Amino acid sequence: MHNVLGVILAREGSKGVKLKNLVKVNNISLIKRTIFVSKSSKYINKLILSTESKKIIDHVKSTKIEIPFVRSKKLATHKSNTFDVVRDALQKCEKIFKTKFDLVVILQPTTPFRKVSTIDKAILNLIKKNADASMSIVKSNYPPQWSITINNQNKLQHISRHGKNITRRQDFKQTYIPAGSVYVLKRNILNKQKKILPNHNTIGIEVNHIEGINIDNIEQLEYAKYIAKKYKI
């Protein structure tokens, strides 16, 4: 059996939405939504919250989520590398709980509609396929080959040389973007990971558009509230 550590990441500071992790969607805060769903996982052996915020700690007391340490301020800025934060949590948890974890699950509150089945599938598929990592993905709404940039002369340029030659969306190969709801990494991969996933041996867990909603600004928050109210989730 694999020993699996789940790490919920929630710092107080946020640029797009103030105190984002405490914002409520359908009367449940983003952080509590993440805790409630993650606690239902069949494969996470130890679930903890990594935060530097007393406000967040006080807010989640009723959930009885384990907070074995308070994250340092230097790892709680908008410039902090996610993998540095998770490595810090892994090292501290292994020391505190006197155990070695095989897999680490990264859970961020900004995806309010994640399903526990996605978490468990990401863990199970990684184990079955002996992958280095797994992550949730969602279909792109727009072919990236049609994306454009603006140069110094304010002229538009295609990112892809081939994109301008294809005029029908259905002629493009389906592409995906990270959904953000769950990342799972082997311990040894996490300890050397510096860049964002995927790496060469990462598998994807496809989720639908609703589960792939990620809140980084007010508009996305309002859309999430609309979805939650419409579908009663």
Side-chain angles (χ1 to χ4, degrees):
M1 283 293 294
H2 289 73
N3 198 13
V4 182
L5 174 68
V7 181
I8 299 173
L9 303 177
R11 65 185 183 92
E12 186 174 316
S14 53
K15 285 193 169 185
V17 181
K18 188 176 180 181
L19 294 174
K20 178 169 57 180
N21 291 312
L22 299 179
V23 167
K24 292 183 178 180
V25 171
N26 207 2
N27 296 316
I28 307 172
S29 67
L30 298 186
I31 181 64
K32 283 188 177 180
R33 281 176 168 266
T34 301
I35 292 170
F36 295 151
V37 170
S38 303
K39 277 190 167 188
S40 299
S41 170
K42 293 186 291 186
Y43 302 111
I44 293 178
N45 304 106
K46 180 66 70 174
L47 180 68
I48 67 107
L49 170 64
S50 170
T51 185
E52 87 298 356
S53 170
K54 186 178 184 302
K55 285 182 182 178
I56 292 176
I57 291 172
D58 289 342
H59 177 74
V60 301
K61 274 183 180 177
S62 62
T63 70
K64 295 184 168 45
I65 181 71
E66 288 197 61
I67 309 173
F69 61 89
V70 177
R71 194 196 307 181
S72 68
K73 296 288 186 182
K74 69 178 182 179
L75 287 175
T77 73
H78 69 279
K79 293 182 179 180
S80 299
N81 180 288
T82 297
F83 294 115
D84 287 340
V85 176
V86 179
R87 275 190 288 268
D88 173 71
L90 173 63
Q91 291 166 7
K92 284 184 168 65
C93 285
E94 290 190 330
K95 185 176 181 180
I96 292 168
F97 300 117
K98 295 181 172 55
T99 188
K100 183 176 179 179
F101 293 98
D102 305 301
L103 304 176
V104 180
V105 183
I106 303 172
L107 301 152
Q108 301 175 107
T110 47
T111 50
F113 306 123
R114 94 170 38 75
K115 297 176 181 177
V116 67
S117 58
T118 301
I119 298 173
D120 287 346
K121 189 175 181 181
I123 296 169
L124 199 58
N125 281 14
L126 181 150
I127 294 170
K128 285 182 175 179
K129 298 181 180 181
N130 195 28
D132 289 339
S134 65
M135 60 187 283
S136 56
I137 56 174
V138 64
K139 286 179 180 176
S140 304
N141 291 325
Y142 193 82
Q145 297 89 340
W146 278 350
S147 296
I148 55 179
T149 60
I150 303 176
N151 65 18
N152 293 333
Q153 287 77 44
N154 201 36
K155 292 183 179 179
L156 304 180
Q157 296 177 318
H158 283 275
I159 287 179
S160 168
R161 290 181 303 166
H162 308 293
K164 61 183 178 181
N165 298 322
I166 303 176
T167 58
R168 300 191 313 161
R169 180 193 298 261
Q170 58 265 40
D171 291 334
F172 286 104
K173 183 178 180 180
Q174 180 63 56
T175 58
Y176 300 83
I177 60 173
S181 55
V182 59
Y183 297 88
V184 185
L185 296 94
K186 286 182 175 177
R187 182 184 187 280
N188 64 314
I189 299 301
L190 171 63
N191 282 333
K192 59 186 178 184
Q193 190 76 24
K194 294 181 180 179
K195 299 179 181 179
I196 63 172
L197 292 174
N199 58 24
H200 70 284
N201 190 20
T202 301
I203 58 174
I205 308 300
E206 186 179 348
V207 301
N208 61 30
H209 164 72
I210 291 177
E211 193 172 351
I213 292 173
N214 211 310
I215 299 174
D216 285 318
N217 55 47
I218 293 294
E219 291 77 17
Q220 290 166 338
L221 173 60
E222 292 305 315
Y223 180 57
K225 288 180 177 180
Y226 163 77
I227 290 294
K229 184 177 181 179
K230 180 177 181 179
Y231 295 104
K232 295 180 174 59
I233 55 178

